[in-house]
C-alpha cells in the first residue's frame, strides 16, 4: 500500500504544479491579449483617437458630439421628426411595425404555399406577394415615421429604384385585383 500512497501523492503534486503553471500561463496570455487589443485604434480608450477622428468638429468646452455626428439627430430607427405619427406614441408605432411585419410574413408564407398551384391561382399569388411587400414597406414607415422614411426613399441614390418598385407594386395589385 505504500507504493500506492506514494503514487497518489506524486500525482497530486504533479496536478498542483500543472494547475499553478496553467494559471500563470493563462494570466500571461490574458496580459498579452489585453495589451495587443489596447494598441488597436478602434479599441483604445484614449480620447486622442476620437479627437483626431472628429477633427475640428469636436467642441472642447462641453465635450459633446457635434450635431452632425450625434445619432439622436440623424433620424435613426426610433428617433425621427415624426414623433406624433397620427397621434401614435412610440410604443404604439413599434407595435404597429410588428403587426405589419407579421402581416407581411403571413402574406409571403401564404403566397409561398400557392407556388405549386401557381398555374391555377396566379392572381392570388401575385396579390398576396404584392400585399406582403406593401405591408413590409408600411411597417418601416411606422418604425421610422412617414416623413423620414419617405425622405429616405426619395433620396437621390434611391429615387429611381423607389419609383420603379412602387410602380411595379401598383401595376401588380391593379392587374391582379381589378383586371
Amino acid at each position: 500500500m505504500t507504493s500506492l500512497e506514494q503514487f497518489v501523492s506524486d500525482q497530486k503534486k504533479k496536478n498542483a504544479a500543472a494547475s499553478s503553471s496553467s494559471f500563470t500561463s493563462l494570466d500571461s496570455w490574458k496580459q498579452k491579449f489585453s495589451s495587443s487589443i489596447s494598441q488597436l485604434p478602434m479599441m483604445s480608450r484614449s480620447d486622442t483617437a476620437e479627437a483626431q477622428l472628429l477633427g475640428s468638429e469636436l467642441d472642447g468646452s462641453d465635450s459633446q458630439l457635434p450635431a452632425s455626428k450625434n445619432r439622436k439627430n440623424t433620424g435613426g430607427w426610433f428617433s425621427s421628426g415624426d414623433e406624433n405619427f397620427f397621434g401614435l406614441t412610440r410604443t404604439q408605432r413599434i407595435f404597429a411595425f410588428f403587426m405589419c411585419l407579421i402581416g407581411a410574413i403571413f402574406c409571403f408564407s401564404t403566397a409561398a404555399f400557392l407556388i405549386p398551384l401557381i398555374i391555377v391561382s396566379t392572381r392570388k399569388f401575385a396579390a398576396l406577394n404584392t400585399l406582403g411587400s406593401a405591408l413590409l414597406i408600411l411597417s418601416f414607415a411606422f418604425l421610422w415615421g412617414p416623413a423620414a422614411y419617405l425622405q429616405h426613399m426619395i433620396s437621390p441614390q434611391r429615387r429611381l429604384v423607389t419609383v420603379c418598385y412602387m410602380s411595379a407594386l401598383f401595376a401588380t395589385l391593379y392587374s391582379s385585383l381589378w383586371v
Side-chain angles (χ1 to χ4, degrees):
M1 283 290 227
T2 59
S3 62
L4 181 62
E5 290 175 354
Q6 184 181 7
F7 176 75
V8 169
S9 65
D10 289 341
Q11 291 298 321
K12 286 182 179 179
K13 289 178 185 177
K14 286 181 183 177
N15 286 341
S19 67
S20 67
S21 68
S22 68
F23 283 128
T24 58
S25 66
L26 181 63
D27 289 338
S28 67
W29 181 79
K30 184 178 175 184
Q31 183 181 14
K32 289 178 185 176
F33 184 70
S34 64
S35 66
S36 66
I37 292 241
S38 66
Q39 293 173 356
L40 294 174
M42 294 297 288
M43 296 298 229
S44 71
R45 296 182 179 177
S46 66
D47 292 332
T48 59
E50 292 174 357
Q52 289 173 354
L53 182 64
L54 292 175
S56 63
E57 294 179 350
L58 187 62
D59 186 17
S61 62
D62 59 356
S63 69
Q64 293 287 326
L65 283 175
S68 63
K69 299 286 184 185
N70 195 348
R71 282 190 287 169
K72 289 181 180 177
N73 299 331
T74 59
W77 289 97
F78 300 112
S79 63
S80 65
D82 302 331
E83 288 297 324
N84 200 4
F85 179 83
F86 295 118
L88 298 177
T89 63
R90 177 177 293 173
T91 307
Q92 290 170 336
R93 284 180 27 210
I94 293 172
F95 182 73
F97 162 74
F98 281 114
M99 292 304 293
C100 288
L101 191 66
I102 289 170
I105 291 171
F106 175 75
C107 289
F108 285 138
S109 61
T110 307
F113 283 123
L114 290 175
I115 287 177
L117 305 172
I118 200 162
I119 296 173
V120 178
S121 60
T122 308
R123 292 175 64 177
K124 289 179 186 176
F125 173 79
L128 283 170
N129 198 17
T130 307
L131 186 61
S133 295
L135 282 173
L136 191 64
I137 290 172
L138 183 65
S139 69
F140 284 103
F142 274 115
L143 189 62
W144 280 18
Y149 190 61
L150 185 64
Q151 183 180 8
H152 172 75
M153 287 177 60
I154 62 171
S155 66
Q157 299 89 1
R158 295 175 179 85
R159 191 172 295 143
L160 180 63
V161 174
T162 301
V163 168
C164 292
Y165 188 69
M166 290 297 174
S167 61
L169 281 179
F170 178 75
T172 305
L173 275 178
Y174 179 76
S175 62
S176 66
L177 296 178
W178 289 288
V179 174

